[in-house]
Amino acid sequence: MTPALQQGAQVVQLRHARAAARFVRSTLSIAVPVFLVATLITFLLGVVSGLDPAAGIAGDAASPEIIARIRADLGLDQPIALQYLQWMGQLLRGDLGTSWFNGISASELIAQRLPISLSIAGMALLMGLVFGTGLGLVAGVRSGTRIDRAITLFAAIVSSLPPFVVAFGLILVFSLWLGWLPSSGYVPFSEDPAGWLAAIGIPAVALSVDVVADLARQLRTGLVSALSENYVTGAVVRGLSRRRILFVHVLRNAAGPALTVVALRVPMLIGGAVVTEAIFNMPGMGKLAADSALRGDVPVVQGTLVVSIVLILACNLCVNVLLGVLQPAARRRS
Amino acid sequence: MIRNLLRYPSARAAIVILAVVAMLAAFGPSLAPHDPLAQDSSALLQGPSAAYWLGTDALGRDVFSRLLAGSTVSVLASLLSVSIGMLLGVVPGLLSVFLGKRFEWVSLRLIDALMMLPFLVFAIAMTAMLGNGLTQAMFAVGILITPAFFRVSRAAALSVANAEYIEAARLMGASTASTIRHHVVSKVLPAVAVSAASMTGACLSIVASLTFLGIGVVPPDPTWGGLLATDLSALYDRPFGPIAPALLIVATVWALNALADAMRDAGTQEQRA
Amino acid sequence: MTTLDNVVSLDRRARRAEPADPILSVNGLRIIAADGRELVRDMHFNLPRGGTLGIVGESGSGKSLTCRAILDVLPPGLSVASGSIRYRDVDLSRLDATSWRALRGVELSAVFQDPGSYLNPSIPVGRQLAEAIRANLKMQRKAARDRALDLLGRVGFADATAVYHQYPYELSGGMAQRVLIALAICAGPSLLIADEATTALDVTVQAEILALIDTLRREEGLTLILVSHDLAVVSQVCDHVIVMRSGEIVEAGSTREILHHPKSAYTRSLIDDHAVHPIAVNRPQSADAPQRVPILSVRGLHAGYGIRTVVQDIDLQVAPGEILGLIGETGSGKTTLLRTVLGLIPAATGAIELDGQRIDGLTGKPLRDLRRSGALQYVFQDPLRSLDPDLTIGASIAEGLYLREGRLGVSAIDASVTAALRAVGLEPELSTRLPRLLSGGQRQRAVIARALALEPKVLLLDEPVSALDAVNRLHVLKLLRRLADERGIAQIFISHDLGSVAGIADRVAVLYRGQVVETGPAGALLANPSHPYTRKLLDSAPRLAVAAPATRSLFTVY
């Protein structure tokens, strides 16, 4: 390396470090307020619900004094702002409170059920990414051909299917007719990996179809517009191979909006698991949330929501980092 | 725009489907051949027959009548959710572009926060904890789809905010309100209309999901999603039971999506002409 | 593809030794659109090795399509219907993708208009250059890097390493074009196609890029096709010229022949565009006119964005009926200056007076009142973008009137709109049309009518004629001059086109790096510039390479 180049490389390293620092700062300045607002909404939901465990704990015959004492023990007689601060303080220490229903800590309840929801949502995300990217690539590169139209049509139909309809269709075919996959129940991965895969197969596919359709459509649009950009003509004229132009130059610029779409889908994935868990009768976090909500178990509902929010936020941060790596120019301009 | 729209075969099909759905929603309950709640214990879980066109459910209720009767609630619920989402999303989205940095930052963070909420779970939590009813469900869904409308109207407003004709108006002394009224609204409305169409489809699917889980509408009142739930629980006895309500939901959602796509295409075509 | 293999494996020096046979021959080329429209008809030429061919024509003449057909990168939907393109002894229409890849970059290469857009926005330009080198010359990573740095130096970058790591958006148009040229020559091609490569660049940058292309052409022994809408640009570099119009060759021949003995009326009109003063309006010499009280005056003005000062210490006056031409290149601060006067950017220090009233530092209601009075009007560069596409021309013109006097009846506003349209020479019927249905010239008049409807005292015009063709440019310039002479409207007229400024302005101010470096009566200043920058600006302007007849004035540009 020539000295000049070395010096240039140092300048670049410094610039990259600065850009990275700026990126982290800007990301945090968005993520922290968003986390605070999202959890505040969650907290206020409990307040607005007006649900009160004291009467339930004390029993029907309890005197108002006893109820008041229980309320005081639970800290429910304090101003809402103070209650929020206490709740947030516990939250940051990992304490999600205790179920009003059975007295078990919410973290424990959630920890038991989280693997199920994560398995389904994670597998759905993975399948969505793989198949969505594949279909989007084919449709974008062969835009205007019959295969493109077939994929576009498939995406249009699939995205008008509610996940539970897809789930029902899959059950009908794979469980009832073919008998290949179970239609309910869950097997932990550690016990039986094949059984695990079979159990989460249908729910994950049902949940992933929306991601597949969204990603394929967005990637196709992005590819078609990127392929008509001047820099593609420039690369062609420079004598670069089609494959190199597609994978090094075009995909990089077309992937941004597609990734954003995936990030937007994550809340649906994590939130949508509740339906698939209900259909397949799996004791996941979504089912826990739904059951707890229906019986007014505020701390557990809040706990599941907070855990979900953290997961969603983490996924979004990952996508942001990926976007920054793919399109550094866009990052620095914004 | 309408004439352009009708050039798309998918748009024509979508309009026909939506017209039928609108008819069902308006007159469905009065068209039902049987009382949707009446139970006929002599005819449980029957297949299609002359008396019961789509058969009966486990309690001997006429599925066809329940489907018709459930139309009004299903369609109205999604329309109202979309209205709430539009009301809460469109105007702040517009203003976030024109009201200065502080308002922009705050509104963006609020919308970001709404987007971080786990969609269905949050809708369930909200509905259940505010008292399980259709109004609560619509309100919850409306709030949760607010970001979609915010983003669409903000993006459309942003794309014209720095246009030279906006600056020209400002240089002639136009106020922000008058600039928005004269120059921005007409650019934002088409985009909002497109996403309203596709969001109505999404809401229909969401409301169906909620009622499927027994949230929002309490049995025995019929809804499309609720019908699916009961049919699904009787899947072994009547494997074709869920097809009718599922088809109805899918056709409506598809029609709304197709209409949205065609509107978008017609819009870009018009710009190019 | 045995012929191609032969071609590619030929020793380059041996090939260059025989300059007689054509390196590129195009015969009966016909390009059609998907709907069957003919876009290029019977295009034909033989280009000898080392030759320089210029193709001239207005947009839509088919000159760029011809180039794209040669490179096989026609826009989607267009195709070569018939004719042949031969590069050496290879028929390009029969090449498969692999052979094309072997040919492009190594034998044929190209640079284009809007160079920044031909670079991938997400990858540093040096890496794109190294990538092209590695792809075409099968070099190792490090060798490719070194060659890339070397090439960046050759195309004129003093600090090649810094540029190597920059992203396209960090480069100016001229810099991006240099990178594109480095990319084009990186694998030692024989034929370079430069398609409007200097269009939309500042004149001084344009001159530098043209000189660079010419130098590299000599050093590398390149055969060159230079495409431009500007006959002057082509005539400076090329031996031969083809004039195209509506997809056909109008005239072809040696540059000297074309310039001295044009056969077609169209070629003559192209030459006339350059040779003749664009405007021959009789304008009063402000030097002789009595000193008038300025209507707008700017004193000691500093302004910029945030902490960055863009214009410094500006002193300018313009009197009623006077046109002040403001000359300067991209980044010189012309637009910033106008925007400061308009109150869109706050002035850091200094004073701006309109009709004796301070207007700098106004905000809120006083600013809005000033704007509603209509005394100060601004005309944007691009009329299409400054008109709301959803509003009719009439509605756009009426907007300011409504804002100023909402109580005025509809009929009174209609009358004002009609009068304004008549004043700029447009039929009042046009008021019901949408902007996109008007021609470029009509739109620019409509925008002037919008300003005129408010009876302004001062008109600020930002490159008002740069998007217009020669005929419309002349009409609009005459219109502006008449408005100054008959209505006494003072004007500040920004242009990079020295011809327009020379024709219309009473006085000229030259802006360079945010400062007025020279100001004076238009004729005297442009005939005899005192500041070196003004001289450079005048020298850089492309002019026809034919020896100037004695009678022709200095302003032979454009």
Side-chain angles (χ1 to χ4, degrees):
Chain A
M1 226 185 238
T2 60
L5 194 59
Q6 224 159 24
Q7 197 190 346
Q10 274 166 10
V11 171
V12 171
Q13 268 171 12
L14 195 69
R15 221 172 56 168
H16 285 184
R18 272 207 210 111
R22 208 173 326 139
F23 179 65
V24 169
R25 215 177 316 131
S26 70
T27 306
L28 283 182
S29 73
I30 290 173
V32 171
V34 166
F35 174 75
L36 290 177
V37 176
T39 47
L40 177 65
I41 295 173
T42 304
F43 173 77
L44 288 179
L45 198 58
V47 174
V48 176
S49 77
L51 293 171
D52 191 335
I57 294 173
D60 290 340
S63 67
E65 290 78 33
I66 297 178
I67 292 181
R69 218 186 51 233
I70 296 174
R71 285 180 57 87
D73 288 346
L74 290 167
L76 291 173
D77 56 343
Q78 283 163 353
I80 287 171
L82 202 64
Q83 286 187 42
Y84 172 67
L85 287 180
Q86 277 170 351
W87 180 75
M88 183 49 85
Q90 288 176 343
L91 206 68
L92 294 178
R93 272 178 273 125
D95 179 3
L96 298 175
T98 313
S99 164
W100 289 350
F101 186 67
N102 53 18
I104 304 174
S105 97
S107 339
E108 199 176 307
L109 285 170
I110 292 168
Q112 282 170 5
R113 288 158 168 86
L114 194 57
I116 299 173
S117 301
L118 276 186
S119 298
I120 298 174
M123 182 54 80
L125 184 62
L126 185 70
M127 292 202 289
L129 282 174
V130 170
F131 293 113
T133 309
L135 292 179
L137 263 177
V138 172
V141 172
R142 306 220 176 280
S143 71
T145 64
R146 206 168 290 165
I147 186 156
D148 167 39
R149 258 169 288 167
I151 291 173
T152 311
L153 185 70
F154 170 76
I157 293 174
V158 148
S159 64
S160 28
L161 298 172
F164 63 97
V165 172
V166 181
F168 133 75
L170 292 171
I171 289 179
L172 208 60
V173 175
F174 290 100
S175 299
L176 289 190
W177 292 353
L178 300 173
W180 290 353
L181 297 170
S183 66
S184 68
Y186 174 78
V187 183
F189 180 79
S190 53
E191 281 175 21
D192 176 9
W196 171 80
L197 202 59
I200 66 164
I202 298 182
V205 170
L207 209 49
S208 75
V209 287
D210 270 349
V211 185
V212 172
D214 265 11
L215 181 55
R217 279 201 286 199
Q218 185 58 56
L219 193 59
R220 177 193 179 276
T221 314
L223 280 175
V224 169
S225 85
L227 278 169
S228 68
E229 293 278 339
N230 281 341
Y231 67 80
V232 175
T233 309
V236 170
V237 167
R238 257 165 254 157
L240 302 187
S241 68
R242 260 185 77 85
R243 180 171 307 165
R244 193 171 174 87
I245 293 172
L246 179 62
F247 286 103
V248 177
H249 290 263
V250 175
L251 196 54
R252 187 181 194 125
N253 294 302
L259 271 176
T260 311
V261 162
V262 173
L264 287 177
R265 269 284 160 197
V266 170
M268 310 272 184
L269 277 183
I270 292 182
V274 60
V275 181
T276 44
E277 282 166 12
I279 295 174
F280 295 92
N281 203 13
M282 290 176 161
M285 193 173 71
K287 199 162 179 340
L288 175 69
D291 294 347
S292 305
L294 284 173
R295 60 182 178 227
D297 195 346
V298 174
V300 179
V301 174
Q302 286 174 335
T304 54
L305 291 177
V306 168
V307 171
S308 305
I309 289 167
V310 169
L311 283 173
I312 293 165
L313 205 55
C315 282
N316 273 273
L317 290 183
C318 289
V319 168
N320 262 2
V321 171
L322 209 56
L323 281 177
V325 172
L326 278 178
Q327 291 172 311
R331 182 178 80 204
R332 268 174 224 163
R333 232 174 319 183
S334 63
Chain B
M1 171 118 171
I2 303 278
R3 197 170 306 154
N4 271 342
L5 207 57
L6 290 179
R7 284 211 312 259
Y8 296 87
S10 59
R12 289 201 295 266
I15 289 172
V16 170
I17 293 175
L18 292 178
V20 171
V21 171
M23 297 277 286
L24 285 183
F27 308 113
S30 47
L31 290 176
H34 298 269
D35 178 355
L37 300 182
Q39 305 181 1
D40 181 354
S41 53
S42 67
L44 302 180
L45 289 170
Q46 283 193 345
S49 65
Y52 303 112
W53 291 5
L54 293 175
T56 56
D57 65 8
L59 295 175
R61 296 176 296 196
D62 179 34
V63 172
F64 183 61
S65 299
R66 289 180 66 75
L67 204 58
L68 290 181
S71 304
T72 314
V73 175
S74 303
V75 170
L76 266 187
S78 46
L79 283 180
L80 282 172
S81 303
V82 168
S83 309
I84 292 172
M86 268 168 82
L87 215 63
L88 294 177
V90 171
V91 174
L94 269 180
L95 294 182
S96 75
V97 176
F98 293 97
L99 275 198
K101 285 262 176 281
R102 199 168 303 165
F103 181 84
E104 183 181 18
W105 195 89
V106 171
S107 61
L108 276 175
R109 294 299 83 80
L110 280 174
I111 292 298
D112 282 346
L114 282 181
M115 290 199 303
M116 292 301 120
L117 299 175
F119 202 95
L120 266 181
V121 172
F122 195 85
I124 291 166
M126 201 160 161
T127 311
M129 294 174 80
L130 298 184
N132 192 357
L134 192 61
T135 320
Q136 284 86 344
M138 285 175 342
F139 188 63
V141 174
I143 285 185
L144 285 168
I145 60 169
T146 298
F149 286 103
F150 179 92
R151 286 160 57 93
V152 163
S153 76
R154 175 176 158 81
L158 263 184
S159 71
V160 296
N162 292 320
E164 287 182 356
Y165 53 83
I166 301 257
E167 191 153 80
R170 204 166 291 150
L171 283 175
M172 289 187 287
S175 61
T176 304
S178 136
T179 310
I180 293 179
R181 211 166 44 236
H182 283 115
H183 300 289
V184 181
V185 168
S186 62
K187 316 292 182 297
V188 172
L189 277 185
V192 170
V194 168
S195 68
S198 69
M199 284 318 283
T200 309
C203 280
L204 194 73
S205 162
I206 294 163
V207 171
S209 295
L210 287 177
T211 49
F212 171 80
L213 295 170
I215 306 275
V217 174
V218 190
D221 286 346
T223 57
W224 293 353
L227 276 174
L228 261 183
T230 47
D231 285 335
L232 220 46
S233 59
L235 201 56
Y236 287 93
D237 303 306
R238 290 178 71 239
F240 295 99
I243 286 182
L247 262 185
L248 205 49
I249 293 172
V250 169
T252 314
V253 177
W254 175 85
L256 286 162
N257 280 337
L259 191 66
D261 283 350
M263 277 159 79
R264 190 180 306 127
D265 290 352
T268 42
Q269 206 105 84
E270 213 158 88
Q271 272 172 3
R272 258 181 234 153
Chain C
M1 279 306 111
T2 49
T3 37
L4 181 81
D5 292 339
N6 292 341
V7 167
V8 174
S9 61
L10 269 176
D11 174 44
R12 183 155 290 148
R13 224 171 283 158
R15 278 188 280 134
R16 287 201 177 129
E18 30 184 340
D21 47 286
I23 192 168
L24 183 74
S25 61
V26 173
N27 263 305
L29 180 68
R30 186 163 159 261
I31 301 175
I32 56 166
D35 57 8
R37 268 180 310 129
E38 266 192 333
L39 300 174
V40 171
R41 244 185 321 279
D42 191 28
M43 180 65 185
H44 56 89
F45 61 84
N46 284 321
L47 184 57
R49 183 160 301 147
T52 47
L53 171 68
I55 306 182
V56 179
E58 60 205 11
S59 64
S61 63
K63 54 191 194 312
S64 291
L65 288 184
T66 303
C67 293
R68 287 181 174 258
I70 294 170
L71 295 160
D72 194 33
V73 287
L74 281 173
L78 306 191
S79 59
V80 173
S82 60
S84 74
I85 303 171
R86 296 184 73 81
Y87 175 77
R88 300 185 194 281
D89 50 357
V90 185
D91 186 345
L92 294 188
S93 59
R94 303 211 177 151
L95 287 193
D96 59 16
T98 323
S99 313
W100 262 119
R101 208 189 317 150
L103 204 63
R104 290 187 186 125
V106 181
E107 294 286 325
L108 312 175
S109 67
V111 293
F112 302 94
Q113 183 177 357
D114 190 11
S117 71
Y118 283 85
L119 296 163
N120 190 326
S122 312
I123 305 178
V125 294
R127 268 180 44 205
Q128 299 188 49
L129 184 52
E131 176 194 35
I133 292 167
R134 290 186 66 198
N136 286 315
L137 300 179
K138 315 282 176 257
M139 274 189 172
Q140 289 305 304
R141 196 176 290 269
K142 193 186 165 309
R145 245 180 111 103
D146 290 344
R147 184 173 164 82
L149 286 167
D150 180 46
L151 275 166
L152 288 174
R154 278 192 68 194
V155 296
F157 287 110
D159 189 356
T161 25
V163 177
Y164 189 98
H165 298 289
Q166 270 176 321
Y167 288 92
Y169 73 94
E170 296 174 298
L171 305 179
S172 68
M175 289 163 85
Q177 194 56 278
R178 285 175 195 276
V179 172
L180 220 58
I181 290 171
L183 274 163
I185 63 164
C186 73
S190 304
L191 175 68
L192 175 66
I193 295 175
D195 184 2
E196 297 274 16
T198 61
T199 306
L201 297 177
D202 283 322
V203 276
T204 53
V205 180
Q206 165 165 290
E208 286 164 19
I209 297 287
L210 278 178
L212 174 66
I213 290 177
D214 202 39
T215 311
L216 291 172
R217 178 185 73 77
R218 283 168 213 281
E219 289 174 6
E220 301 270 310
L222 288 170
T223 307
L224 178 70
I225 298 180
L226 186 66
V227 174
S228 178
H229 65 283
D230 187 345
L231 185 56
V233 165
V234 160
S235 73
Q236 285 175 346
V237 181
C238 298
D239 309 329
H240 284 78
V241 176
I242 293 177
V243 181
M244 287 186 80
R245 192 182 197 189
S246 320
E248 276 181 319
I249 295 181
V250 173
E251 194 166 353
S254 73
T255 308
R256 179 160 290 274
E257 226 174 285
I258 295 270
L259 292 186
H260 283 300
H261 310 291
K263 290 191 200 74
S264 74
Y266 180 65
T267 313
R268 269 198 297 280
S269 77
L270 286 182
I271 295 172
D272 287 349
D273 275 355
H274 287 270
V276 177
H277 256 264
I279 342 164
V281 286
N282 38 344
R283 61 168 200 266
Q285 279 299 312
S286 69
D288 310 334
Q291 281 295 317
R292 281 167 295 186
V293 185
I295 177 89
L296 178 77
S297 74
V298 174
R299 274 178 284 110
L301 182 73
H302 290 251
Y305 303 89
I307 51 163
R308 199 164 61 91
T309 306
V310 178
V311 291
Q312 305 161 33
D313 206 18
I314 304 283
D315 283 291
L316 288 176
Q317 282 83 38
V318 57
E322 186 184 42
I323 298 183
L324 172 69
L326 199 56
I327 302 175
E329 298 194 323
T330 312
S332 63
K334 296 171 303 200
T335 304
T336 306
L337 175 58
L338 286 202
R339 293 176 71 84
T340 313
V341 173
L342 290 163
L344 291 169
I345 302 171
T349 56
I352 305 168
E353 279 179 13
L354 178 69
D355 213 2
Q357 304 283 318
R358 282 285 287 268
I359 59 167
D360 55 294
L362 290 185
T363 52
K365 192 165 182 322
L367 181 63
R368 196 176 297 164
D369 286 343
L370 169 73
R371 286 175 174 172
R372 289 193 176 174
S373 77
L376 192 60
Q377 286 296 309
Y378 185 49
V379 173
F380 290 85
Q381 176 170 6
D382 183 346
L384 187 57
R385 279 193 290 159
S386 63
L387 291 166
D388 188 329
D390 294 339
L391 294 186
T392 61
I393 295 298
S396 281
I397 296 174
E399 183 177 10
L401 292 166
Y402 275 114
L403 287 168
R404 183 169 71 188
E405 32 213 342
R407 62 189 182 284
L408 204 75
V410 172
S411 58
I413 287 181
D414 275 354
S416 298
V417 170
T418 305
L421 283 171
R422 286 233 167 83
V424 298
L426 289 179
E427 295 297 320
E429 287 79 60
L430 287 181
S431 68
T432 58
R433 299 256 191 97
L434 289 176
R436 65 186 152 91
L437 299 175
L438 267 56
S439 73
Q442 286 175 322
R443 279 199 286 262
Q444 191 57 279
R445 285 156 187 267
V447 172
I448 295 172
R450 172 168 67 178
L452 222 50
L454 294 166
E455 292 135 8
K457 293 174 179 153
V458 180
L459 209 49
L460 306 178
L461 304 124
D462 190 354
E463 302 266 12
V465 295
S466 66
L468 301 180
D469 60 43
V471 176
N472 274 309
R473 190 186 306 154
L474 187 60
H475 283 311
V476 169
L477 289 175
K478 278 185 174 162
L479 167 67
L480 293 175
R481 188 65 251 178
R482 212 173 53 235
L483 292 177
D485 295 343
E486 293 172 6
R487 302 195 179 199
I489 299 175
Q491 296 171 31
I492 296 183
F493 178 98
I494 285 188
S495 183
H496 67 274
D497 175 5
L498 297 175
S500 301
V501 174
I504 193 177
D506 301 300
R507 285 189 306 120
V508 169
V510 181
L511 207 57
Y512 178 55
R513 294 191 178 167
Q515 286 180 305
V516 175
V517 294
E518 191 167 3
T519 176
L525 188 146
L526 294 174
N528 198 6
S530 60
H531 193 274
Y533 174 71
T534 316
R535 276 202 292 279
K536 186 182 172 199
L537 206 57
L538 288 168
D539 289 343
S540 302
R543 61 195 73 195
L544 298 172
V546 64
T551 50
R552 221 145 41 85
S553 76
L554 180 74
F555 312 114
T556 59
V557 290
Y558 290 82

